[in-house]
Amino acid sequence: MRYDGARFSIFNRNNTPGINDNRCAQLLETRDGTLWILTDLGLISYRDRKFRSLTGQDGLPAKISKEFESPDGGLILAGRDGLFSWQNGRSIPLLTEGVHPGDGDLIYQDRAGAIWFGLHFGAFYKFSNGKLVNYPTLSILPQQQQNDRVIAALEDRQGRLWFGTTSAWRG
């Protein structure tokens, strides 16, 4: 659905060519003006007044749960099997070493482009410049429960990162 300031326009798979799924999980506009729509079936792009659906058959990774703009203006996709860059119609693995950011409670991109993700059982990671850093939440919050998880993130105006867990806030 789009609102132009006066009225709403409905776009769906029944009335709009190029749309294959009506459920929208996330919207992202990249610097080049492309609107990316994350759906249960994959991605839909909207550019030059045309929608185009992309699925695993087009090379997308499985079970995408979040999309981000990369520092170069492309897409980074977080999915069940890792982090991927989507460039020129193909997926390029960035991180697939047994860590599954799409399965967690939090996936967040800070202003510098680093991607933070919190997984179940206290695992918390930062992926930046091709490197993965693990921050065990037990070392951050020593009093916490074994099953505590990072579930929220925000970068404030001063550039400080705030993280919320199931038991406390930490800045």
Side-chain angles (χ1 to χ4, degrees), residues 16-163:
T16 308
I19 293 180
N20 68 349
D21 191 358
N22 289 336
R23 185 176 182 279
C24 171
Q26 183 189 349
L27 297 169
L28 172 71
E29 183 181 17
T30 50
R31 280 176 245 151
D32 68 359
T34 303
L35 174 64
W36 293 95
I37 304 160
L38 178 62
T39 73
D40 288 341
L41 299 177
L43 291 173
I44 300 171
S45 67
Y46 178 72
R47 183 151 176 89
D48 300 325
R49 306 179 102 174
K50 291 181 183 171
F51 289 94
R52 179 173 178 237
S53 292
L54 302 162
T55 66
Q57 293 176 341
D58 299 297
L60 287 179
K63 300 272 187 188
I64 302 168
S65 57
K66 194 82 168 173
E67 59 185 341
F68 303 100
E69 184 171 17
S70 64
D72 64 3
L75 278 183
I76 296 176
L77 306 173
R80 177 180 63 196
D81 298 328
L83 291 174
F84 299 84
S85 174
W86 178 255
Q87 296 178 8
N88 303 317
R90 56 187 206 118
S91 294
I92 300 166
L94 298 173
L95 172 68
T96 58
E97 57 186 65
V99 176
H100 306 285
D103 289 341
D105 297 310
L106 167 80
I107 305 174
Y108 179 78
Q109 185 179 39
D110 65 26
R111 287 187 206 128
I115 296 176
W116 298 80
F117 50 99
L119 303 178
H120 307 298
F121 310 112
F124 186 52
Y125 297 90
K126 174 185 176 185
F127 182 75
S128 178
N129 298 320
K131 294 187 172 80
L132 182 68
V133 177
N134 180 7
Y135 296 95
T137 52
L138 287 174
S139 66
I140 299 168
L141 298 170
Q143 305 86 354
Q144 75 182 13
Q145 302 274 335
Q146 223 13 341
N147 63 353
D148 198 19
R149 302 177 319 277
V150 177
I151 57 171
L154 173 77
E155 187 170 0
D156 68 19
R157 290 182 196 152
Q158 289 79 35
R160 296 176 295 201
L161 292 167
W162 293 79
F163 298 98

